[in-house]
Amino acid sequence: MRHRHLPTAAVALGVAVLLDVLRVWLPSIITIFGRAAETPAELLGAFALCWFLLALAAPSLVRRLGSRPVGLVAAGTLAASRLALTAAPGGRAQLWLACAGLLAGLVWLAATAASVDRPVPGLALGLAGAAVGHGLLGTEDLVWRGGVLGWTLSVLLVLAFLAASAATPAPPAAAPTTGTGTAARVTGARSWLLLGPALLLAGQVALAPALWSAAFVSGSRDFPGLYRSSVGSSSLLPVFPVLFFLLAALHWPATRLVRVLWPVVLLVGAGLFAAGWLVPAMLLTGVGLGGCLALTDTAATKAAGPDGAARGVPGADGVRRGYAAVGGMLVFAVATVVYYATYDLGYPNGWVPVGTAVLVALVAFAGPSTATPVLTGTPRWASVAPLVLLTVVALEIHRPVPTAVPPRTPATVVRVVAYNIRMGFGLDGRLDLDAVARVVRAGRADVVLLSEVDRGWLLNGGHDTLALLAQRLRLPYVFAPAADPVWGDAVLSRFPVRSGRTRPLAAHGAPTGAQALGITLDLGGRELAVVATHLQPPPGRGPVAQAREVAAFATRYAAGRPLVLGGDLNTEPGEPAFTAFTAAGLVDALAAARPLPTSPADDPRQQIDHVFVSPGIGAADVAAPRSTASDHLPVAVTLTLP
């Protein structure tokens, strides 16, 4: 009995390590292989899916060689890839290391599934533990951190995973199918099948630490539809998704009522996420997902046969579980690719989590379930309290940035930086917000207009890029959703923000959503209107229609006050979209430094990042400093107000 918790620990730690690799693999597919939409979407999707299709051969390999030797080799490869990713310089090396780690992780899942018939405790603790760990790191992956702390924690995690895997006793051989004795059918395939869909729902909605700051600090009457950096203590509300998930997954009896209740709650939570109601979506999806996992857990017994015990050669049920685990991860891959592809196809992607939740609900509702909690005999506090405590610690460590204070005398000079940060990923494909912060600080910015701000896209690793950058710069922010609730534009300012508005822009055939964010800054007795946007041109055309909408919105919002408008406008000087701003009476603040190419960052040829101002505002000290912290260069300008 002393080894009864080792399989649970091995599964939980393995899920955490695999998630670390996935958080590198997913953005590497987009930024390195995809090169920010330069690679055709069909080729990108095929490349991503091929690794999951290759893993479908893993259960057959496990059946021939045994679950233990295959599992240990795969665990070692996964662990080595995980550590190598921290040392990788980015680029192609990072991409192939992430692919190798992903494939090894999928093979490890197939081998582990073949020998573990009750994985729900390990899966639940692994998902919750990974979420809490990500929160403790401020949603900045351990893989990207490096340094003494990063390496120490990475090595400890990997060693714990390898130790638990090696110490787990070999499973008994498959039960004999002939003779007088019979063995109860080994179950667990449904639980393993739900791992992939659960990863998507947990990382996208239920257990996404990046949403803790993006969802729980929302707008107010003066900031409708906007999200602001909070002031003071962190909210404890994010503790509850983790708490409810674990209680439902590990300690709630599977009665007839909850067999219907949990799938319904999960579907409602996913629907609320698609509608943009992030707070209730996290709570309901968390408890619903945990409950659905618990519904798939079924007690089972298995008889040990005389042959193959040392290698743990699985029988038909073990192979079935292996295929279920890999098949569930294939569902994860397809849903993730479809979620990303909708931005190129122009269809809303909120239905992807809803469709995934439907699958989870159907699998959970079908078939028998235990009538007792998964962790029978284990006190609730033993598995729940440590993770909840760590969640509270995470919230207290990563407090929001302080509020801005107006200057004692009215400011007349403002330094503005407009920067498309590509979700914080540099040209090497690595998340490096320190490099982004260095570029902004070098620009001596008072006000920063950011485009392509990600606040929790699982596709990019699930980081709250805005909060991480704001903490580094010590600047409060206002965020406006564009393509979905956690992707859009933001303004950071050392001056207090008194009010704000956001206007969704009509697509005009463009696949990705866009908006115009207007805020009012208090410069110490006088006000400055600032508008940040990221125009999205339709295929083969310029964003002239959106440019006219933004220009009209900006002039109305300014209402006679000094106005600054900027961002990634995806148009060059002289083009119709650029002319739409000058025709509205705005002035090109970068005119004195033209030509001023900003894209691509390593060989700038296009002038598509701009700053416009209202007449009477002086512009000087224009710069586009060279940097590969993004695929764009920032533009900086000093503005003198009349």
Side-chain angles (χ1 to χ4, degrees), residues 43-123:
L43 180 59
L44 185 149
F47 180 82
L49 293 177
C50 77
W51 299 98
F52 294 84
L53 294 173
L54 283 173
L56 290 174
S60 178
L61 180 68
V62 170
R63 185 166 194 171
R64 288 197 300 268
L65 301 179
S67 60
R68 184 167 179 80
V70 172
L72 289 177
V73 171
T77 306
L78 172 61
S81 301
R82 163 62 185 81
L83 292 179
L85 284 171
T86 298
R92 292 288 174 175
Q94 173 182 300
L95 174 65
W96 293 115
L97 280 172
C99 290
L102 171 66
L103 185 58
L106 295 173
V107 174
W108 170 81
L109 280 178
T112 303
S115 59
V116 177
D117 58 2
R118 299 195 71 183
V120 171
L123 298 181

Side-chain angles (χ1 to χ4, degrees), residues 71 90 209 249 336 371 413 464 497 577 621:
T336 303
V413 177
D464 187 353
V497 182
D621 195 12

Side-chain angles (χ1 to χ4, degrees), residues 224 226 263 537 570:
L226 302 177
N570 275 311

Side-chain angles (χ1 to χ4, degrees), residues 417-492:
V417 171
Y419 199 4
N420 181 326
I421 61 172
R422 197 171 76 149
M423 292 79 70
F425 288 90
L427 289 183
D428 58 0
R430 293 181 67 82
L431 181 73
D432 192 352
L433 293 170
D434 288 331
V436 176
R438 284 195 298 270
V439 172
V440 174
R441 279 195 294 264
R444 312 184 312 278
D446 298 314
V447 180
V448 187
L449 285 59
L450 298 179
S451 303
E452 292 193 13
V453 176
D454 170 28
R455 306 207 64 193
W457 259 9
L458 182 61
L459 293 168
N460 295 324
H463 319 103
D464 187 353
T465 306
L466 180 56
L468 289 167
L469 187 57
Q471 288 164 5
R472 284 166 168 78
L473 296 173
R474 305 299 296 169
L475 292 176
Y477 61 79
V478 177
F479 172 75
D484 65 19
V486 293
W487 193 91
D489 309 296
V491 175
L492 293 82

